[in-house]
Amino acid sequence: MVTDNAKNMIKACEILQIRHVPCFAHSINLTVQDCLASEYVKPILEKCKRIVAFFKSSTIAYAKFREAQNCERPYSLKQECPTRWNSAFYMVERILITKVAIASVLLNTPKGLMPLTSDEISILEDLKALLSPFEHATVHTSSSTSVTVSSVIPVVCGILHNLSALKSKLQTKVGRDVCDDLLQGVNKRLVPYESRTVTRMTTILDHRFKKEGSWNPFNSSQGVKSLEEELSHINAQTKSSTSSNPPTPEPTAESNLLFSFLQANKNQKIQSDRVDSILALRHYLNGTNLEPAQNPLDYWKISNDTAFKTCVLNTSAFRPLPLKVNECLARQDWL
């Protein structure tokens, strides 16, 4: 079950003993909202909101703003919505695109608002750069027509890499402080998805990512162990339901004499479903990864590795689905 991060929802899943995964998009929203509410970001966002409100409340000012852009298809301004963090990102992005037109109209409007200063513009540029990875992550993981659960861990990994690379390129101290807050929030709210069995296993089963999609190698190795246990269990069930023995010919005197030792050796041979699972999993992990833009379900549809494919499509990460596997594949659902 996927829910928001409210404690009553989490407790309900515990009482019902239902496997629970917090909504990743909601976790992103909480991470960014904490940052946007900080004392060094809130004032400049409030100023941006006042500027947008001024233009939207004045027909004359808005007409001058569109005219000042001097283009066939002038941009409009976007106002922040408190319940959606990315609305703040879109507001900042649009203000930066039209900053010259905004300043021109405000400076020529009697008793108008003060335009943004160059320092404030620099802060907004830093904010846009820092929030861009989160906006892409929100759009990517909110899709209802493509695989999402298996990309949660790689998305977190991508956010961390982007923030780390951006930190040295930021223009302002406010930007650097925001970056530190975002990194702290990501480690608090998003990195724990790497410790969840469902997200670990589905990431490994996604042919685009496998073990290379995790931030911490330990988490990917733990996911492989969980998958080995699942595959071992399924292999045992498959063998017990499909096992059959070939017809046994009558033994000859020569075979009794020369090969009598074979029966004793066969009795000592260790049969292990886990070994079969490890070999199948190793073969899969050593294969070439798909490109990130490809659909991982396409791989499993055409895969010739029937033994491992059967194990994969029956792992516990997919069992809660109310539909049969083939129906899920047809619908492109994968959770």
Side-chain angles (χ1 to χ4, degrees), residues 99-117:
K99 59 186 178 183
V100 175
I102 291 174
S104 174
V105 174
L106 291 179
L107 289 173
N108 289 282
T109 301
K111 298 181 180 180
L113 298 174
M114 288 295 296
L116 295 163
T117 66

Side-chain angles (χ1 to χ4, degrees), residues 221-233:
S221 64
Q222 290 300 110
V224 171
K225 288 182 180 179
S226 298
L227 189 54
E228 286 176 5
E229 293 176 2
E230 287 286 341
L231 298 179
S232 177
H233 174 70

